[in-house]
Amino acid sequence: MNKINSLFTTRGNKKFLSLYFCAGSPTLEGTGDVIKTMQRRGIDFIEVGIPFSDPLADGPVIQTAATKALKNGMTLNTLFSQLKAIKDEVHIPLILMGYLNPILHYGIDRFCQSCADAGVSGMIIPDLPFDDYLNIVKPAADKYDLRVIMLITPETSDERIHFIDQHTDGFIYMVSSAAITGTQKSFDEQKQAYFRRIDAMNLRNPRMIGFGISNAQTLKAAQAGAAGAIIGSKFVTLLDEANGNADLALDRLFEALSK
């Protein structure tokens, strides 16, 4: 069974915590150590960012990390080599998150095969049109038992959400707002009403909430409204401040999430 499906199938009442970081930032060679440290510290699954020069959905923190990773020399070939080197040590799901352009240049089928060879369980491609997902990406992903995770926002219609739910597997990524990535101090009533609305739809797929989670208040609200929370910008900032020391960054993250 795909690791993503296995994780959610066996979760019971557990609320998950997933972290995002950009491969190759702050150091080119740190990817494997960051992943292994997160696994050791109890993170449930990891989103590994593929750096891209024009990350439209990302705020300044992740844009800066991507720029640094590219300057460090991170490429898809390098990333897959790094992931393959730790494949036998990593038992939690890894999800690659990146934009369509570099994946198309690499080749869809080749990309999916490389994911499978490197122990990756799925992918998130924020700018992937749904028709292209159904006709081009999904067949290749299914061939290698990979999950393609789709995003929804507060502006996504109920009809569209049901359609996504019917044609995807793994989980649905609920973006907390239509804005770019970044931290928030709290989720207002409008966002929490959105969480409740989606929860009441009784979707087939579990849901994870991301964008803006950085403290106890936003974490609690996200976990109350879904299967768990995804944290990106906050951890990327802490990892950079810790010069790539994932243990130190996680210490500071867990402290921030307790306040």
Side-chain angles (χ1 to χ4, degrees):
M1 179 184 289
N2 180 283
K3 287 181 182 178
I4 298 171
N5 296 96
S6 179
L7 181 72
F8 283 96
T9 299
T10 59
R11 76 182 179 97
N13 294 321
K14 176 180 172 63
K15 295 294 185 177
F16 291 131
L17 178 61
S18 174
L19 299 184
Y20 166 97
F21 78 104
C22 183
S25 180
T27 67
L28 178 63
E29 300 300 333
T31 304
D33 180 67
V34 171
I35 290 171
K36 290 189 290 183
T37 302
M38 282 199 270
Q39 175 178 257
R40 175 169 52 80
R41 297 292 297 272
I43 302 306
D44 295 295
F45 65 93
I46 300 168
E47 292 179 19
V48 182
I50 301 168
F52 182 50
S53 57
D54 191 22
L56 297 176
D58 294 315
V61 169
I62 295 178
Q63 286 184 16
T64 299
T67 298
K68 182 177 290 188
L70 292 172
K71 287 181 178 178
N72 286 342
M74 178 54 70
T75 65
L76 270 174
N77 284 323
T78 299
L79 175 57
F80 282 127
S81 177
Q82 292 177 344
L83 295 178
K84 207 167 183 178
I86 62 169
K87 177 181 178 180
D88 294 339
E89 302 173 69
V90 178
H91 310 294
I92 61 176
L94 299 181
I95 298 171
L96 293 191
M97 185 168 187
Y99 291 87
L100 186 57
N101 186 277
I103 296 171
L104 286 176
H105 279 284
Y106 191 86
I108 296 294
D109 191 84
R110 181 185 172 213
F111 178 81
C112 291
Q113 182 174 11
S114 294
C115 283
D117 290 344
V120 172
S121 297
M123 65 197 78
I124 300 171
I125 309 173
D127 58 342
L128 174 64
F130 204 80
D131 285 346
D132 289 346
Y133 156 69
L134 287 175
N135 297 316
I136 301 170
V137 177
K138 187 177 186 299
D142 288 348
K143 177 180 172 183
Y144 296 100
D145 193 31
L146 301 169
R147 302 294 174 260
V148 182
I149 309 304
M150 304 300 289
L151 285 72
I152 63 172
T153 75
E155 281 70 41
T156 308
S157 69
D158 288 4
E159 180 182 13
R160 182 72 168 179
I161 292 169
H162 278 300
F163 186 75
I164 289 171
D165 188 45
Q166 290 166 7
H167 292 89
T168 61
D169 192 14
F171 68 92
I172 291 174
Y173 191 135
M174 284 179 61
V175 177
S176 66
S177 71
I180 58 175
T181 58
T183 62
Q184 299 178 37
K185 292 184 178 180
S186 64
F187 289 140
D188 58 25
E189 174 56 30
Q190 184 177 12
K191 290 186 179 66
Q192 295 192 50
Y194 157 60
F195 300 162
R196 293 192 296 269
R197 175 172 70 88
I198 304 304
D199 191 42
M201 293 176 70
N202 296 314
L203 300 177
R204 181 178 62 85
N205 282 297
R207 305 165 321 280
M208 294 286 293
I209 294 176
F211 285 46
I213 299 165
S214 62
N215 57 22
Q217 186 173 356
T218 48
L219 176 64
K220 183 178 179 181
Q223 291 183 327
I230 299 169
I231 298 176
S233 295
K234 181 68 173 181
F235 181 69
V236 170
T237 296
L238 294 172
L239 187 63
D240 187 64
E241 290 174 351
N243 296 315
N245 184 328
D247 263 317
L248 180 56
L250 286 166
D251 285 342
R252 293 173 176 173
L253 176 66
F254 293 148
E255 181 182 359
L257 295 177
S258 69
K259 295 178 180 178

